[in-house]
Amino acid sequence: MKKLLALVLAGAMALSMVACSGGNDKGGADDGAEKLKVNLLCSQLGDKSFNDSADTALKALKDEGEIEYVVREFGNDNSVVEQELMEAAEAGYDIVMCNNLGYGKATEWLRNNAETYPDTWFFVYDEPTDTVDAANVILLAYRANESDYLAGVVAAKESETGVIGFVGGMENPVIYDFLVGYIQGAKSVNPDVKVLVAYTDSYTDAQKGNELGTTMLGQGADVIHGVAGTAGNGALEAAAKAGKLCIGVDADQYYTLKDGKPEVADRVITSALKEVGKSLVSLVKEVEAGTLVKEGDRVWFAGEGAYVGIAENENYDKLASDETKAAVDAAKAGLADGSITVKSAYDMTTDEINRMVADAQ
């Protein structure tokens, strides 16, 4: 297994990059220095996973008195992405964060404009393929194939029918990386398991996710994994309504759904974690300390303790069999010592991915 780039950031950026306009020093929150001004820019909150993970972690930093924090939701109109980014940059924030809004519009704007705002850091989370050379732009990527390998182990071990489902958002490398790991993990414990795959073509259409999940249930699936933001939550709801198990994504969805939809949360056996919020906080703290500099195109997060894995909470303890837990522990050990190598969609062609999916049907 490739040893992934850890959060080791070294380079030649001047420390002025972490100062606000006018050159004020941004020290830690307890030394009396001015607080960092942080902006999260997103289409919308409420996904109970991806954007909410970022927002929850940054709100906690604000509540602890570490930063000043503003979140801006602009809706699903991708034509306004460039304008939203420009307004955020012009507002003088120390840090502006977003995913690659508009399916590439964010990084396109940053390539053309980021260097105009040298006193602002731009963090683009969950961007493993694009590049931005500007010294004040850092792209964050996560080895979701590793977390979904473990999710696949859980799904296949817990399935009584030998049929499991994967409801993805868009057909793109980010979602494919989850899928490749899910199939490989499931096949590692049950070579005969059947993996149904469908896409919502949206991250917000919960009704479409519900419809796809319901269709999979009708085809015999008894564990469904939603990897499509709010749309994926619709698939989780379909599984829960049928009394079947489901697997969340990004955040620990047992906890994020527990208050609003406890009947769904009770059926979330685990979640494939991509802890966006925690990873963003780690970078904010480096900016605060004046130690963050850029090297290469992006920062990779991988492996236990580095924001990817699966949720092992009280619901997992209750729902997962001892046999499943043992299989997960063995897989985690294999990932850690390199005896298990998980394929990555980023190293595969689309034809290879399609063949892998077809072979799992």
Side-chain angles (χ1 to χ4, degrees), residues 173-239:
V174 172
I175 301 300
Y176 285 151
D177 209 42
F178 280 104
L179 174 60
V180 166
Y182 187 64
I183 292 174
Q184 188 177 344
K187 291 286 187 180
S188 73
V189 294
N190 180 3
D192 297 322
V193 71
K194 183 177 181 180
V195 185
L196 305 178
V197 180
Y199 301 93
T200 60
D201 296 323
S202 164
Y203 294 102
T204 59
D205 191 346
Q207 181 177 346
K208 181 66 175 294
N210 191 286
E211 291 170 357
L212 293 175
T214 300
T215 297
M216 289 179 176
L217 292 166
Q219 295 172 327
D222 57 354
V223 184
I224 294 180
H225 184 18
V227 188
T230 303
N233 293 347
L236 305 189
E237 291 177 15

Coordinates of all heavy atoms in Angstrom, one line a residue, residues 173-239:
P173 N -14.2 11.0 -9.8 CA -13.1 10.3 -9.1 C -13.3 10.3 -7.5 O -13.0 9.3 -6.9 CB -11.9 11.1 -9.4 CG -12.2 11.7 -10.8 CD -13.6 12.1 -10.7
V174 N -13.9 11.3 -7.0 CA -14.1 11.3 -5.5 C -15.1 10.2 -5.1 O -14.8 9.4 -4.2 CB -14.7 12.7 -5.0 CG1 -15.1 12.6 -3.6 CG2 -13.6 13.8 -5.3
I175 N -16.2 10.1 -5.8 CA -17.2 9.0 -5.5 C -16.6 7.7 -5.9 O -16.8 6.7 -5.2 CB -18.5 9.3 -6.2 CG1 -19.1 10.7 -5.7 CG2 -19.5 8.2 -5.9 CD1 -19.3 10.8 -4.2
Y176 N -16.0 7.6 -7.0 CA -15.4 6.3 -7.5 C -14.4 5.8 -6.4 O -14.3 4.5 -6.3 CB -14.6 6.5 -8.8 CG -15.5 6.6 -10.0 CD1 -15.0 7.4 -11.1 CD2 -16.8 6.0 -10.1 CE1 -15.8 7.5 -12.3 CE2 -17.5 6.2 -11.3 CZ -17.1 6.9 -12.3 OH -17.8 7.1 -13.5
D177 N -13.7 6.6 -5.8 CA -12.7 6.2 -4.8 C -13.4 5.5 -3.6 O -12.9 4.4 -3.1 CB -11.8 7.3 -4.3 CG -10.4 6.8 -3.9 OD1 -9.8 6.0 -4.6 OD2 -9.9 7.3 -2.9
F178 N -14.5 6.0 -3.2 CA -15.3 5.3 -2.2 C -15.7 4.0 -2.7 O -15.6 2.9 -2.0 CB -16.5 6.1 -1.8 CG -16.4 7.2 -0.9 CD1 -16.4 8.6 -1.3 CD2 -16.3 7.0 0.5 CE1 -16.2 9.6 -0.4 CE2 -16.1 8.1 1.4 CZ -16.1 9.4 0.9
L179 N -16.3 4.0 -3.9 CA -16.8 2.7 -4.5 C -15.8 1.6 -4.6 O -16.1 0.5 -4.3 CB -17.5 3.1 -5.8 CG -18.0 1.9 -6.7 CD1 -19.1 1.2 -5.9 CD2 -18.5 2.4 -8.0
V180 N -14.6 2.0 -5.2 CA -13.6 1.0 -5.4 C -13.2 0.3 -4.1 O -13.1 -0.9 -4.0 CB -12.4 1.6 -6.1 CG1 -11.1 0.7 -6.0 CG2 -12.7 2.0 -7.5
G181 N -13.0 1.1 -3.0 CA -12.7 0.6 -1.7 C -13.8 -0.3 -1.2 O -13.6 -1.4 -0.6
Y182 N -15.1 0.1 -1.3 CA -16.3 -0.6 -0.8 C -16.3 -2.0 -1.5 O -16.5 -3.0 -0.8 CB -17.5 0.2 -1.2 CG -18.8 -0.3 -0.6 CD1 -19.0 -0.3 0.8 CD2 -19.8 -0.7 -1.4 CE1 -20.2 -0.7 1.3 CE2 -21.1 -1.1 -0.9 CZ -21.3 -1.1 0.5 OH -22.5 -1.5 1.0
I183 N -16.2 -2.0 -2.8 CA -16.3 -3.3 -3.5 C -15.1 -4.2 -3.0 O -15.3 -5.4 -2.7 CB -16.2 -3.1 -5.0 CG1 -17.5 -2.4 -5.5 CG2 -16.0 -4.5 -5.7 CD1 -17.5 -2.1 -6.9
Q184 N -13.9 -3.7 -2.9 CA -12.8 -4.5 -2.6 C -12.9 -5.0 -1.2 O -12.6 -6.2 -0.9 CB -11.4 -3.7 -2.8 CG -10.2 -4.6 -2.6 CD -8.9 -3.9 -2.8 OE1 -8.9 -2.8 -3.4 NE2 -7.8 -4.4 -2.4
G185 N -13.3 -4.2 -0.2 CA -13.5 -4.6 1.1 C -14.6 -5.7 1.3 O -14.4 -6.7 2.0
A186 N -15.7 -5.5 0.6 CA -16.8 -6.5 0.6 C -16.3 -7.8 0.1 O -16.6 -8.9 0.7 CB -18.0 -6.0 -0.1
K187 N -15.6 -7.8 -1.1 CA -15.1 -9.0 -1.7 C -14.1 -9.7 -0.9 O -13.9 -10.9 -1.0 CB -14.6 -8.7 -3.1 CG -15.6 -8.3 -4.1 CD -16.5 -9.4 -4.6 CE -17.4 -9.1 -5.7 NZ -18.3 -10.2 -6.1
S188 N -13.4 -9.0 0.0 CA -12.3 -9.6 0.8 C -12.9 -10.5 1.8 O -12.2 -11.5 2.2 CB -11.5 -8.5 1.5 OG -12.2 -7.9 2.6
V189 N -14.1 -10.3 2.2 CA -14.7 -11.2 3.2 C -15.8 -12.1 2.7 O -16.2 -13.1 3.3 CB -15.2 -10.4 4.4 CG1 -14.1 -9.7 5.2 CG2 -16.3 -9.4 4.0
N190 N -16.3 -11.8 1.5 CA -17.3 -12.6 0.8 C -17.1 -12.4 -0.7 O -17.7 -11.6 -1.3 CB -18.7 -12.2 1.2 CG -19.7 -13.1 0.5 OD1 -19.4 -14.0 -0.2 ND2 -21.0 -12.8 0.7
P191 N -16.3 -13.3 -1.3 CA -16.0 -13.2 -2.7 C -17.3 -13.2 -3.6 O -17.3 -12.8 -4.8 CB -15.1 -14.3 -3.0 CG -14.5 -14.7 -1.7 CD -15.5 -14.4 -0.7
D192 N -18.3 -13.8 -3.1 CA -19.6 -14.0 -3.9 C -20.6 -12.9 -3.6 O -21.7 -12.9 -4.2 CB -20.2 -15.3 -3.5 CG -19.3 -16.5 -3.9 OD1 -18.7 -16.4 -5.0 OD2 -19.3 -17.5 -3.1
V193 N -20.2 -11.9 -2.8 CA -21.2 -10.8 -2.5 C -21.5 -10.0 -3.8 O -20.7 -9.8 -4.7 CB -20.7 -9.9 -1.4 CG1 -19.5 -9.0 -1.9 CG2 -21.8 -9.0 -0.9
K194 N -22.8 -9.6 -3.9 CA -23.2 -8.8 -5.1 C -23.4 -7.4 -4.6 O -24.0 -7.1 -3.6 CB -24.6 -9.3 -5.6 CG -25.1 -8.6 -6.8 CD -26.4 -9.3 -7.3 CE -26.9 -8.6 -8.6 NZ -28.2 -9.2 -9.0
V195 N -22.8 -6.5 -5.4 CA -22.8 -5.0 -5.0 C -23.6 -4.3 -6.1 O -23.1 -4.2 -7.2 CB -21.3 -4.4 -4.9 CG1 -21.4 -3.0 -4.4 CG2 -20.5 -5.3 -4.0
L196 N -24.7 -3.8 -5.7 CA -25.6 -3.0 -6.6 C -25.1 -1.5 -6.5 O -24.8 -1.0 -5.4 CB -27.0 -3.0 -6.2 CG -27.6 -4.4 -6.1 CD1 -29.1 -4.3 -5.6 CD2 -27.5 -5.2 -7.4
V197 N -25.0 -0.8 -7.6 CA -24.4 0.5 -7.7 C -25.4 1.4 -8.5 O -25.8 1.0 -9.6 CB -23.0 0.5 -8.4 CG1 -22.5 2.0 -8.4 CG2 -22.1 -0.4 -7.6
A198 N -25.7 2.6 -8.0 CA -26.5 3.6 -8.7 C -26.1 5.0 -8.2 O -25.5 5.1 -7.2 CB -28.0 3.3 -8.4
Y199 N -26.4 6.0 -9.1 CA -26.0 7.3 -8.8 C -27.2 8.3 -8.8 O -28.1 8.1 -9.7 CB -25.0 7.8 -9.8 CG -23.7 7.0 -9.8 CD1 -23.6 5.9 -10.7 CD2 -22.7 7.2 -9.0 CE1 -22.4 5.1 -10.7 CE2 -21.5 6.5 -9.0 CZ -21.4 5.4 -9.9 OH -20.3 4.6 -9.9
T200 N -27.2 9.2 -7.9 CA -28.3 10.2 -7.9 C -28.1 11.3 -8.9 O -29.1 12.1 -9.1 CB -28.5 10.8 -6.5 OG1 -27.2 11.4 -6.1 CG2 -28.8 9.7 -5.4
D201 N -26.9 11.5 -9.3 CA -26.5 12.7 -10.2 C -26.8 14.0 -9.4 O -27.1 15.0 -10.1 CB -27.3 12.7 -11.5 CG -26.9 11.5 -12.4 OD1 -25.7 11.1 -12.3 OD2 -27.7 10.9 -13.0
S202 N -26.7 14.0 -8.1 CA -27.0 15.1 -7.3 C -26.5 14.8 -5.9 O -26.4 13.7 -5.5 CB -28.5 15.4 -7.2 OG -28.9 16.2 -6.2
Y203 N -26.2 15.9 -5.1 CA -25.9 15.7 -3.7 C -27.0 16.3 -2.8 O -26.8 16.3 -1.6 CB -24.6 16.4 -3.4 CG -23.4 15.8 -4.1 CD1 -22.8 16.3 -5.3 CD2 -22.9 14.6 -3.7 CE1 -21.8 15.7 -5.9 CE2 -21.8 13.9 -4.3 CZ -21.3 14.5 -5.5 OH -20.2 13.9 -6.1
T204 N -28.1 16.7 -3.4 CA -29.2 17.3 -2.6 C -30.5 16.6 -2.8 O -31.5 16.9 -2.1 CB -29.3 18.8 -3.0 OG1 -29.6 18.9 -4.4 CG2 -28.1 19.5 -2.6
D205 N -30.7 15.7 -3.8 CA -32.0 15.2 -4.2 C -32.3 13.9 -3.3 O -32.0 12.8 -3.7 CB -32.0 14.8 -5.6 CG -33.4 14.4 -6.1 OD1 -34.3 14.2 -5.3 OD2 -33.6 14.4 -7.4
A206 N -32.8 14.1 -2.1 CA -33.0 13.0 -1.2 C -34.1 12.1 -1.7 O -34.0 10.9 -1.5 CB -33.4 13.5 0.2
Q207 N -35.0 12.6 -2.5 CA -36.1 11.7 -3.0 C -35.5 10.7 -4.0 O -35.8 9.6 -4.0 CB -37.2 12.6 -3.7 CG -38.3 11.7 -4.3 CD -39.4 12.6 -4.9 OE1 -39.5 13.8 -4.7 NE2 -40.3 11.9 -5.7
K208 N -34.5 11.2 -4.9 CA -33.9 10.3 -5.8 C -33.1 9.2 -5.1 O -33.1 8.1 -5.4 CB -33.0 11.1 -6.7 CG -32.3 10.3 -7.8 CD -33.2 9.7 -8.8 CE -32.5 9.0 -9.9 NZ -31.7 9.9 -10.8
G209 N -32.4 9.6 -4.0 CA -31.7 8.7 -3.2 C -32.6 7.6 -2.6 O -32.2 6.4 -2.6
N210 N -33.7 8.1 -2.1 CA -34.7 7.2 -1.5 C -35.2 6.2 -2.6 O -35.3 5.0 -2.3 CB -35.9 8.0 -0.9 CG -36.8 7.1 -0.1 OD1 -37.5 6.3 -0.6 ND2 -36.7 7.3 1.2
E211 N -35.5 6.7 -3.8 CA -36.0 5.8 -4.9 C -34.9 4.8 -5.2 O -35.3 3.6 -5.4 CB -36.3 6.7 -6.1 CG -37.5 7.6 -5.9 CD -37.7 8.6 -7.0 OE1 -36.9 8.6 -7.9 OE2 -38.7 9.3 -7.0
L212 N -33.7 5.2 -5.3 CA -32.6 4.2 -5.7 C -32.4 3.2 -4.6 O -32.3 2.0 -4.9 CB -31.3 5.0 -6.0 CG -31.3 5.9 -7.2 CD1 -30.0 6.6 -7.3 CD2 -31.5 5.0 -8.5
G213 N -32.5 3.6 -3.3 CA -32.4 2.7 -2.2 C -33.5 1.7 -2.2 O -33.3 0.5 -2.0
T214 N -34.7 2.2 -2.5 CA -35.9 1.3 -2.5 C -35.8 0.3 -3.6 O -36.1 -0.9 -3.4 CB -37.2 2.2 -2.7 OG1 -37.3 3.1 -1.6 CG2 -38.4 1.3 -2.7
T215 N -35.3 0.7 -4.7 CA -35.1 -0.2 -5.8 C -34.1 -1.3 -5.5 O -34.3 -2.5 -5.7 CB -34.6 0.5 -7.1 OG1 -35.6 1.4 -7.5 CG2 -34.3 -0.5 -8.2
M216 N -33.0 -0.9 -4.8 CA -32.0 -1.9 -4.4 C -32.6 -2.9 -3.4 O -32.3 -4.1 -3.4 CB -30.8 -1.2 -3.8 CG -29.9 -0.5 -4.8 SD -28.5 0.4 -4.1 CE -27.7 1.0 -5.5
L217 N -33.4 -2.4 -2.5 CA -34.0 -3.3 -1.5 C -34.9 -4.3 -2.2 O -34.9 -5.5 -1.8 CB -34.9 -2.4 -0.5 CG -34.1 -1.5 0.4 CD1 -35.1 -0.5 1.1 CD2 -33.4 -2.3 1.5
G218 N -35.6 -3.9 -3.2 CA -36.4 -4.8 -4.0 C -35.6 -5.8 -4.8 O -36.1 -6.9 -5.1
Q219 N -34.3 -5.5 -5.0 CA -33.4 -6.5 -5.7 C -32.6 -7.3 -4.7 O -31.7 -8.1 -5.1 CB -32.4 -5.7 -6.5 CG -33.1 -4.9 -7.7 CD -32.1 -4.0 -8.4 OE1 -31.2 -3.4 -7.8 NE2 -32.4 -3.9 -9.7
G220 N -33.0 -7.3 -3.4 CA -32.4 -8.1 -2.4 C -31.4 -7.5 -1.5 O -30.9 -8.2 -0.6
A221 N -31.0 -6.3 -1.7 CA -30.0 -5.7 -0.8 C -30.5 -5.5 0.6 O -31.7 -5.1 0.8 CB -29.6 -4.3 -1.4
D222 N -29.7 -5.8 1.6 CA -30.1 -5.6 2.9 C -29.1 -4.8 3.7 O -29.3 -4.6 4.9 CB -30.3 -7.0 3.6 CG -29.1 -7.9 3.6 OD1 -28.1 -7.5 3.0 OD2 -29.2 -8.9 4.3
V223 N -28.1 -4.2 3.1 CA -27.3 -3.2 3.6 C -27.0 -2.2 2.5 O -26.6 -2.5 1.4 CB -25.9 -3.7 4.1 CG1 -25.1 -2.6 4.8 CG2 -26.1 -4.9 5.1
I224 N -27.3 -0.9 2.8 CA -27.1 0.2 1.8 C -26.2 1.3 2.3 O -26.4 1.8 3.4 CB -28.5 0.7 1.3 CG1 -29.3 -0.3 0.6 CG2 -28.3 1.9 0.4 CD1 -30.7 0.1 0.2
H225 N -25.3 1.6 1.4 CA -24.3 2.7 1.8 C -24.6 3.9 0.9 O -24.6 3.9 -0.3 CB -22.9 2.1 1.4 CG -21.8 3.0 1.8 ND1 -21.9 4.1 2.7 CD2 -20.5 3.0 1.3 CE1 -20.7 4.7 2.8 NE2 -19.8 4.1 2.0
G226 N -24.9 5.0 1.6 CA -25.2 6.3 0.9 C -23.9 7.2 0.8 O -23.4 7.5 1.9
V227 N -23.5 7.5 -0.4 CA -22.3 8.4 -0.6 C -22.7 9.5 -1.5 O -22.2 9.6 -2.6 CB -21.1 7.6 -1.1 CG1 -19.9 8.4 -1.1 CG2 -20.9 6.3 -0.3
A228 N -23.6 10.3 -1.0 CA -24.2 11.4 -1.9 C -24.7 12.5 -1.1 O -25.7 13.2 -1.6 CB -25.3 10.8 -2.8
G229 N -24.1 12.9 0.0 CA -24.6 14.0 0.8 C -26.1 13.8 1.2 O -26.5 12.7 1.6
T230 N -26.8 14.9 1.1 CA -28.3 14.8 1.4 C -29.0 13.8 0.6 O -29.9 13.1 1.1 CB -28.9 16.2 1.3 OG1 -28.2 17.2 2.1 CG2 -30.4 16.2 1.7
A231 N -28.6 13.7 -0.7 CA -29.3 12.7 -1.6 C -29.0 11.3 -1.0 O -29.9 10.4 -1.0 CB -28.7 12.8 -3.0
G232 N -27.8 11.0 -0.5 CA -27.5 9.7 0.0 C -28.3 9.4 1.3 O -28.6 8.3 1.6
N233 N -28.7 10.5 2.0 CA -29.5 10.3 3.2 C -30.8 9.7 2.9 O -31.5 9.0 3.7 CB -29.7 11.6 4.0 CG -28.4 12.1 4.6 OD1 -27.4 11.4 4.6 ND2 -28.4 13.4 5.0
G234 N -31.3 10.0 1.7 CA -32.6 9.4 1.2 C -32.5 7.9 1.1 O -33.4 7.2 1.4
A235 N -31.3 7.4 0.7 CA -31.1 6.0 0.6 C -31.0 5.4 2.0 O -31.5 4.3 2.2 CB -29.8 5.7 -0.2
L236 N -30.4 6.1 2.9 CA -30.4 5.6 4.3 C -31.8 5.5 4.9 O -32.1 4.5 5.6 CB -29.6 6.5 5.2 CG -28.1 6.8 4.8 CD1 -27.4 7.6 5.9 CD2 -27.3 5.6 4.4
E237 N -32.6 6.4 4.6 CA -34.0 6.4 5.1 C -34.8 5.2 4.5 O -35.6 4.6 5.2 CB -34.7 7.7 4.7 CG -34.2 8.9 5.5 CD -34.8 10.2 5.1 OE1 -35.9 10.2 4.4 OE2 -34.3 11.3 5.5
A238 N -34.5 4.9 3.2 CA -35.2 3.8 2.6 C -34.8 2.5 3.3 O -35.7 1.7 3.6 CB -34.9 3.7 1.1
A239 N -33.6 2.3 3.6 CA -33.1 1.1 4.3 C -33.7 1.0 5.7 O -34.2 0.0 6.1 CB -31.6 1.1 4.3

